[in-house]
Amino acid sequence: MVVAEGPNEYILYMQNDHGDLAGQFAAHWGNDRFSQLKPRNSMVFAAEAHDNGWWSWDVNPEVDDQGVPITFRRTPRARLYEFIDKGIDNIIEKDLYAGLITSIHHAGLPQHRYGTLPAVPRRQDEYTTKFLQRREPFNTDLIAKVATMKEYDGVNSSDFIWFNYRVMQVFD
């Protein structure tokens, strides 16, 4: 949940709303000067659904001691990674390539987006460490699997996958 504070109220934006906007950016990516996404459907789905694991938190947000809704940035890390893992699993069930891009995206967030955005704070807590210890080998294995799949010919090289990862950062 993203929380915007007004003078007398809070405006709450669900992570799925954020994903919907990211998906619209992806769906309209490309024109006569630069190419559309490849694989287009997978990349649009990754952008649209990358935070779908937050649904249960967003529809029933918790509040802090002052009654202020807890934003995604303040969500306890143990819960945060449960939501992220659930969301990645949801995507992988429907589209392996989209799930791969989403999984790499979430592993990159606590690591300055793999150096592409050093201004993003590096997370170094026990939950983040455990998440990365699970997720990084998983991503490596999934990259290798996608690399062998005929349905992703032309978009399954390591370079292309990492290019698509960087494009995903634009949508997020």
Side-chain angles (χ1 to χ4, degrees), residues 1-169:
M1 170 150 322
V2 178
V3 179
E5 191 170 341
N8 299 310
E9 72 281 336
Y10 297 99
I11 302 170
L12 309 177
Y13 299 93
M14 295 192 311
Q15 289 297 108
N16 282 3
D17 293 333
H18 155 75
D20 182 57
L21 183 58
Q24 290 180 50
F25 291 147
H28 292 90
W29 190 260
N31 58 29
D32 59 345
R33 298 175 71 186
F34 63 97
S35 65
Q36 287 190 355
L37 300 170
K38 295 176 187 173
R40 184 181 185 282
N41 291 342
S42 295
M43 290 299 296
V44 170
F45 182 49
E48 180 178 78
H50 74 277
D51 283 333
N52 76 71
W54 287 88
W55 176 252
S56 62
W57 178 272
D58 282 353
V59 297
N60 189 24
E62 293 186 21
V63 296
D64 65 17
D65 295 340
Q66 286 74 46
V68 177
I70 298 174
T71 69
F72 75 98
R73 292 186 191 274
R74 293 179 45 229
T75 302
R77 291 285 177 245
R79 301 285 304 280
L80 177 136
Y81 290 116
E82 287 175 17
F83 302 148
I84 290 171
D85 282 335
K86 180 179 181 177
I88 293 168
D89 291 345
N90 290 342
I91 296 170
I92 286 173
E93 284 180 26
K94 296 187 181 338
D95 186 314
L96 192 65
Y97 197 97
L100 169 61
I101 297 301
T102 303
S103 186
I104 295 171
H105 166 72
H106 282 292
L109 287 175
Q111 303 181 80
H112 302 296
R113 295 187 188 228
Y114 292 112
T116 62
L117 195 57
V120 173
R122 181 178 286 275
R123 295 186 204 135
Q124 295 181 324
D125 58 81
E126 68 176 293
Y127 298 104
T128 300
T129 300
K130 287 178 184 175
F131 173 77
L132 293 174
Q133 286 172 343
R134 284 191 327 272
R135 197 49 65 185
E136 291 291 4
F138 177 85
N139 291 345
T140 299
D141 291 346
L142 201 50
I143 288 169
K145 181 176 182 176
V146 166
T148 67
M149 297 175 71
K150 293 281 185 209
E151 67 190 273
Y152 299 120
D153 276 349
V155 296
N156 58 356
S157 70
S158 181
D159 286 344
F160 208 96
I161 290 167
W162 284 101
F163 171 80
N164 277 338
Y165 160 78
R166 290 188 301 276
V167 172
M168 176 63 198
Q169 303 325 289

